[in-house]
Amino acid sequence: MAEAQAAPPVTARTGPGDVECDLCSEEKLKAVVSCPVCLTSFCEVHVQPRYQPALQKHKLVKATQLQEKICFQHGRLLEMFCYNDQKCICVLCTTEDHNGHNTVFATVARPEKQKLLLEKRKKFHRRIQEREIAMKKLTKAVVSYKRSAQEALEHSDRIFTELLQSIERRRSEVKELIRAQEEAAVSRAEEILKELEREIEELRRGDAEMEELSYDQDHVHFIQSFQALQTSPVSKASLSITLSQHPSFDALKESLIALKRDETCQIGKILAVG
C-alpha cells in the first residue's frame, strides 16, 4: 500500500502590516518566522527545511520587520546597546561612532530594561486603578445628583401646584370681595340717586308754585299764600355724598402688587440658592 502523502502546509497571503516571505519568488506569502542571523523571513512553505536537524543552527523568532533591526550604516544586525546614547547599535558601531561608550549586548541590557518596563507597568496600573476609583466616585456622584435633581423637580412641582391652587382660591375670594363691595356701594349710590331725584322734583314743584305766586296782584292773597308755603323738603341724602366716600380699591391693588413683588423675590432667592 502506498503511504499517504502529507498535507501541504497552510499558507496565507500578506495583508496590511504583515511581514512578507523573502524566499517567495512570485506571490509573496505571509511570513511566520524570521531568522535574526540570516536576516531572512520565512512563510509556512519555506520554513520547513529550517526545521531539519542539520539546519537548526539559528534561533527563529516570530516574524518581524528585519529592516528595523539592521544598522543602516553597516548593514549589520543591531545586537548591541549603547547606554550613553540609549540606542541599539551593531558591533561595528562600537569601534566607530560609539567608541569608548558604555556598550553591552542587547541580551545583557534586556533584564534591566525589563525591570524598568515592569516599574512603568506598575505605575500605569496604579494610575488605572486611581482613574477607575475616580470614575466610580464620579459615576456615583452623577447618579446621586440626578436623583437629587429629580426629587427637587418633583418637590417644586408639588409646591408650585399647591401655590397655584392657593392663589386660585385667593383670586376667587378677592373677586368675590370686590364684587360684594361693588354691589354694596352701587346699591347705596342708587338709593341716594333716587332720593335726590325725588327731592329735585319736590323742589322744582315748589319753585313753580312760588313763581306762580310771584305774579299774584292781590297783596293780601299773596301774603296769605306765602305764609301757607311749605318749608323746603328735608333730604335724607347729604349733598356731599360721592362715590369717593365709598371703600377704595387702591389699597387692595397695592397689596396685590406687594404680594407679587414678594413672590418674585422669593423665587429669585430659590434660583440663587440653586
Side-chain angles (χ1 to χ4, degrees):
M1 178 182 291
E3 295 183 1
Q5 294 182 352
V10 179
T11 59
R13 294 180 176 84
T14 56
D18 291 336
V19 179
E20 295 181 347
C21 176
D22 293 319
L23 301 183
C24 288
S25 58
E26 297 180 357
E27 181 183 10
K28 293 291 187 179
L29 298 179
K30 178 181 177 180
V32 292
V33 293
S34 297
C35 177
V37 179
C38 300
L39 301 180
T40 306
S41 296
F42 305 92
C43 65
E44 287 283 2
V45 175
H46 293 106
V47 76
Q48 296 301 317
R50 303 286 299 186
Y51 291 142
Q52 297 179 15
L55 299 176
Q56 291 181 354
K57 297 180 179 180
H58 300 163
K59 183 179 180 181
L60 301 179
V61 297
K62 183 180 178 181
T64 183
Q65 298 293 350
L66 293 174
Q67 60 269 24
E68 297 177 359
K69 299 182 179 181
I70 303 300
C71 176
F72 71 92
Q73 184 176 357
H74 302 108
R76 299 289 296 272
L77 183 67
L78 299 176
E79 54 183 343
M80 306 293 294
F81 178 76
C82 176
Y83 281 98
N84 297 70
D85 297 320
Q86 290 293 305
K87 61 184 296 187
C88 290
I89 60 176
C90 71
V91 176
L92 295 180
C93 289
T94 60
T95 61
E96 296 181 6
D97 296 340
H98 299 268
N99 185 26
H101 291 184
N102 182 15
T103 59
V104 296
F105 280 100
T107 54
V108 176
R110 170 64 185 269
E112 179 185 351
K113 298 299 180 182
Q114 186 77 21
K115 184 178 179 181
L116 293 176
L117 177 65
L118 181 60
E119 293 299 324
K120 278 192 174 185
R121 290 194 64 194
K122 288 181 180 179
K123 291 180 180 179
F124 271 65
H125 289 167
R126 284 195 297 269
R127 292 183 64 182
I128 291 172
Q129 291 176 353
E130 292 172 357
R131 269 58 179 176
E132 288 177 344
I133 293 174
M135 284 182 62
K136 289 180 181 178
K137 289 182 177 180
L138 185 58
T139 301
K140 185 178 180 181
V142 168
V143 172
S144 176
Y145 193 84
K146 287 183 176 180
R147 182 171 58 251
S148 177
Q150 183 61 33
E151 291 174 355
L153 284 174
E154 295 173 357
H155 182 72
S156 65
D157 284 343
R158 184 170 60 255
I159 294 300
F160 276 106
T161 299
E162 294 174 358
L163 284 174
L164 290 173
Q165 293 173 349
S166 176
I167 291 173
E168 183 61 29
R169 288 195 300 270
R170 296 298 182 186
R171 186 172 76 93
S172 299
E173 292 172 359
V174 170
K175 287 178 64 176
E176 292 177 1
L177 176 62
I178 293 174
R179 293 302 182 191
Q181 291 182 351
E182 177 190 14
E183 290 177 2
V186 171
S187 176
R188 177 57 181 159
E190 289 176 348
E191 292 177 1
I192 296 174
L193 287 172
K194 291 179 180 179
E195 182 67 26
L196 290 174
E197 287 177 356
R198 285 193 295 269
E199 183 178 351
I200 289 172
E201 289 178 1
E202 292 178 7
L203 289 172
R204 284 178 176 171
R205 186 166 50 251
D207 180 63
E209 292 176 357
M210 287 186 291
E211 180 181 10
E212 182 180 354
L213 181 60
S214 66
Y215 295 110
D216 193 341
Q217 299 298 321
D218 187 339
H219 302 302
V220 174
H221 183 265
F222 173 82
I223 293 174
Q224 289 176 340
S225 298
F226 178 77
Q227 292 298 116
L229 286 176
Q230 295 181 355
T231 58
S232 301
V234 178
S235 175
K236 296 180 181 180
S238 173
L239 294 178
S240 62
I241 292 179
T242 62
L243 283 178
S244 62
Q245 292 177 289
H246 291 277
S248 173
F249 298 110
D250 291 340
L252 176 61
K253 289 189 287 185
E254 291 295 329
S255 298
L256 292 175
I257 292 173
L259 176 62
K260 177 183 177 182
R261 185 166 49 247
D262 183 62
E263 290 296 330
T264 302
C265 181
Q266 292 297 328
I267 293 175
K269 289 181 179 179
I270 292 173
L271 295 176
V273 171

